[in-house]
């Protein structure tokens, strides 16, 4: 069956050159403190929260990963809404400013599963696929 309703336009978050540069500098330093400074300086910048979440999950620190990912997810939802998103529609991975939000959503799904929140893990995984199936594929191969 074909959906006859048009899909909403893709939501593209704005570029933040200053925050992007700060995150790149943190990546060069490679320390937790450097990433935390970026999140503190740019608290609405999901990419900083996503980096913290991903690092924590990789280190086996599931609860901090969950907390960082949830923070970045909610800050990203705020930005998506300000960018015209109405609660559904594509959020393409190919647009670099969207990747922080999508990374947070991915880590949130994984961390939720690790702490036994199976329903939340499934909802987040489905939301990620709904935003852009390519995001999950790209993040799973990270």
């Amino acid at each position: 069956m074909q959906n006859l309703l048009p899909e909403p336009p893709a939501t593209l978050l704005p570029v933040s050159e200053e925050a992007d540069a700060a995150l790149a500098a943190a990546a060069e330093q490679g320390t937790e403190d450097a990433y935390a400074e970026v999140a503190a300086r740019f608290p609405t910048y999901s990419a900083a929260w996503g980096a913290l979440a991903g690092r924590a999950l990789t280190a086996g620190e599931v609860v901090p990963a969950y907390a960082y990912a949830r923070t970045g997810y909610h800050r990203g939802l705020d930005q998506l809404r300000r960018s015209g998103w109405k609660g559904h529609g594509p959020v393409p991975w190919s647009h670099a400013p969207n990747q922080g939000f999508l990374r947070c959503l991915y880590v949130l799904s994984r961390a939720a599963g690790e702490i036994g929140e199976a329903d939340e893990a499934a909802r987040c995984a489905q939301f990620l696929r709904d935003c852009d199936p390519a995001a999950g594929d790209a993040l799973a191969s990270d």
Side-chain angles (χ1 to χ4, degrees):
M1 176 178 235
Q2 180 182 359
N3 184 353
L4 299 177
L5 296 174
E7 185 172 276
T11 302
L12 305 177
L13 292 175
V15 173
S16 177
E17 291 178 11
E18 188 178 3
D20 289 342
L23 188 60
E28 285 180 19
Q29 291 179 31
T31 67
E32 201 71 21
D33 287 344
Y35 286 102
E37 286 177 25
V38 177
R41 186 169 164 212
F42 303 98
T44 64
Y45 182 60
S46 290
W49 296 107
L52 285 165
R55 289 171 58 87
L57 191 64
T58 298
E61 299 171 358
V62 178
V63 172
Y66 180 88
Y68 288 139
R70 180 161 281 292
T71 300
Y73 164 75
H74 282 287
R75 298 314 293 258
L77 284 176
D78 293 342
Q79 287 210 340
L80 284 169
R81 289 181 186 115
R82 282 193 298 273
S83 296
W85 187 73
K86 303 291 186 210
H88 64 285
V91 180
W93 172 258
S94 61
H95 182 65
N98 291 352
Q99 291 178 6
F101 168 74
L102 296 168
R103 181 176 308 280
C104 287
L105 188 52
Y106 174 78
V107 175
L108 183 57
S109 175
R110 292 201 40 217
E114 292 280 330
I115 63 171
E117 290 286 335
D119 289 345
E120 182 178 24
R123 278 192 310 274
C124 290
Q126 183 61 54
F127 186 15
L128 183 64
R129 283 189 296 277
D130 291 346
C131 286
D132 186 350
D137 295 340
L139 290 162
S141 66
D142 250 5

